């Protein structure tokens, strides 16, 4: 309820788009089917994602209006602790909205947020969603995309990047295009990820073991099974 009200207020303020509200509703529906909990498989995916971020040369966290609205502090904390860059990347680029999202993050304490000056394009996307920054997403080797759309997740994967998605829908195009899909609610996933950084920062062998033993298609199948078993329990 509190979260919905915050999103509605930030929709009026121009940070969250109308379609962002609809996307949030889709997420809520999947979370309900999953039992509104972090499964052990989601927790493992969160650790694997952190392992990739710690192994990366230029990790970037892509932030849209919903992400900025739902958990600005956690995004900033994850970005600082890895460390990773934050780039604002919007699905709906209405005039002035990037500035509002960047300002919202800066008000929460973010420094040097990328996204105001888009000087590069991802191949294979015709719309202005291809735009990104050369310093950030364009040159990133690992990109965390909480709540990304399928087109861009696929374009990032085609560009050879490690794509780490947070998406409650285990059958979305984003979920299937990603290297690691965390099927968990964003505000539960990020604190778990921040906790994992401390465990994995000095443990390079464990990071590499997590990465080499992870298979995303198996992960997604298990998440679909988790939904099915939750629906079958009374
Ligand atoms: P795709 O294009 O990937 O096939 P889509 O058309 O649903 O899927 P979007 O609308 O961009 O693409 O995706 C938003 C996704 O984010 C949805 O799959 C939704 O379930 C998920 N989602 C929304 N809110 C949250 C949240 N708070 N935590 C995690 N996932 C969420």
């Amino acid at each position: 309820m509190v979260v919905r009200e915050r999103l509605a207020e930030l929709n009026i303020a121009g940070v969250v788009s109308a379609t962002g509200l609809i996307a949030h509703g889709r997420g809520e529906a999947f979370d309900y089917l999953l039992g509104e909990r972090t499964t052990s498989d989601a927790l493992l995916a969160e650790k694997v994602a952190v392992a990739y971020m710690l192994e990366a040369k230029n990790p970037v966290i892509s932030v849209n209006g919903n992400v900025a609205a739902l958990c600005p502090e956690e995004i900033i904390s994850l970005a600082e602790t890895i460390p990773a860059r934050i780039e604002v990347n919007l699905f709906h680029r209405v005039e002035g909205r990037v500035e509002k999202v960047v300002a919202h993050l800066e008000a929460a304490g973010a420094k040097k947020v990328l996204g105001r000056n888009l000087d590069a394009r991802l191949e294979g996307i015709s719309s202005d969603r291809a735009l990104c920054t050369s310093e950030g997403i364009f040159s990133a080797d690992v990109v965390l995309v909480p709540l990304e759309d399928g087109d861009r997740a696929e374009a990032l994967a085609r560009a050879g990047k490690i794509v780490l998605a947070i998406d409650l829908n285990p059958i979305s195009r984003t979920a299937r295009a990603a290297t690691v899909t965390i099927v968990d609610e964003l505000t539960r996933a990020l604190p778990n990820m921040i906790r994992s950084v401390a465990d994995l920062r000095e443990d390079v062998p464990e990071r590499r073991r997590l990465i080499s033993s992870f298979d995303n298609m198996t992960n997604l199948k298990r998440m679909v099974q988790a939904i099915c078993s939750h629906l079958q329990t009374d």
Side-chain angles (χ1 to χ4, degrees), residues 23-24 26-28 30 66 70 91 147-151 166-169 171-175 184-187:
H24 184 76
R26 278 205 294 293
E28 281 187 342
F30 276 103
N66 281 36
L70 287 170
F91 189 90
L147 326 186
E148 184 58 281
D149 79 285
D151 278 352
I166 302 177
D167 190 337
L168 276 158
N169 177 359
I171 54 172
S172 73
R173 279 192 303 143
T174 300
D184 197 4
E185 208 283 322
L186 180 67
T187 63

Side-chain angles (χ1 to χ4, degrees), residues 51-68:
Y52 268 115
M53 292 184 89
L54 287 169
E55 290 281 310
K57 288 194 183 71
N58 184 18
V60 173
I61 305 176
S62 172
V63 173
N64 65 16
N66 281 36
V67 176

